[in-house]
Amino acid sequence: MTSRLVRLDQLEGQAREQGLLLRLQVGRPLGLWSLRLAVAKPIGDSRLRLLGEMKAWAYATSHGLQLDTMRVLPNGPIGVGDLIWAATMAWAIEATPCRSARLLAIRDDDRQHRRLVRYFHQRGFRSVREVEAALWDLPLRLIWGGAGALMTGCCEEILLRMTDRWKRSRASQEI
């Protein structure tokens, strides 16, 4: 692993410094990894406000990380999405043999699809092909629940990019 890469425990510590909790729930059903990564803010003594989450699963190959759901709630602190992306990639690098990730930018409507593709490009993903109505697209449509742009990205590159963005957002909040 490249020494420039931030580790998951370092990201957890940085989140804590910002008053955030970064938590992972990992399962191993059927030899796969299932991941739910969440960022929350404590409110009161025993309650949390969920700010964002990533759901993913992985199988034991270098191309096995499959990103399913990423969401950040509106009005959350700046950088929560960057933290989620960075932590997901750090987890994949540290806990699995996965070195690249893939996802589907769902095409519900053209305007939203263009926004998703642009968002994922900014994070380091590139479009590989369109998943449409062809018979060979059926397995991917079943996995992701729709048609859209199949995109892949290098976990290390995404981690570096998102760590840099997370660092900048933390610095801007300290001003």
Side-chain angles (χ1 to χ4, degrees), residues 1-170:
M1 186 174 359
T2 307
S3 62
R4 291 182 27 216
L5 298 180
V6 173
R7 295 184 324 269
L8 186 56
D9 63 332
Q10 292 172 309
L11 290 168
E12 287 176 308
Q14 293 169 4
R16 201 171 25 259
E17 290 170 5
Q18 298 297 122
L20 303 173
L21 293 174
L22 171 63
R23 294 294 182 258
L24 286 81
Q25 181 179 23
V26 179
R28 285 301 307 264
L30 306 171
L32 300 172
W33 287 269
S34 66
L35 171 69
R36 179 176 184 245
L37 185 145
V39 173
K41 184 159 188 74
I43 51 173
D45 290 336
S46 60
R47 295 182 51 217
L48 298 173
R49 178 175 161 237
L50 181 67
L51 300 173
E53 67 181 337
M54 173 80 77
K55 293 178 184 172
W57 57 277
Y59 52 92
T61 71
S62 62
H63 302 289
L65 181 60
Q66 314 296 309
L67 304 173
D68 186 39
T69 303
M70 167 29 168
R71 71 181 183 125
V72 175
L73 279 77
N75 303 322
I78 295 171
V80 167
D82 302 325
L83 174 60
I84 291 170
W85 282 108
T88 300
M89 296 305 134
W91 169 81
I93 291 166
E94 293 173 27
T96 77
C98 301
R99 295 302 171 259
S100 70
R102 72 180 184 167
L103 54 79
L104 188 72
I106 295 287
R107 179 178 285 109
D108 289 333
D109 70 64
D110 285 338
R111 185 173 159 266
Q112 181 63 17
H113 176 70
R114 284 191 303 274
R115 289 180 67 205
L116 279 175
V117 169
R118 185 173 53 248
Y119 175 85
F120 294 135
H121 275 147
Q122 291 169 347
R123 272 128 196 91
F125 288 88
R126 63 180 178 77
S127 297
V128 176
R129 71 179 184 89
E130 291 297 314
V131 173
E132 296 173 341
L135 183 60
W136 51 84
D137 288 336
L138 184 60
L140 294 174
R141 289 181 62 111
L142 290 172
I143 290 170
W144 278 294
L150 184 64
M151 303 181 80
T152 63
C154 172
C155 293
E156 286 190 7
E157 290 175 21
I158 296 166
L159 175 57
L160 289 170
R161 186 179 294 205
M162 294 299 95
T163 300
D164 185 52
R165 288 175 57 112
W166 165 240
K167 181 180 177 181
R168 287 195 316 259
S169 71
R170 287 178 31 229

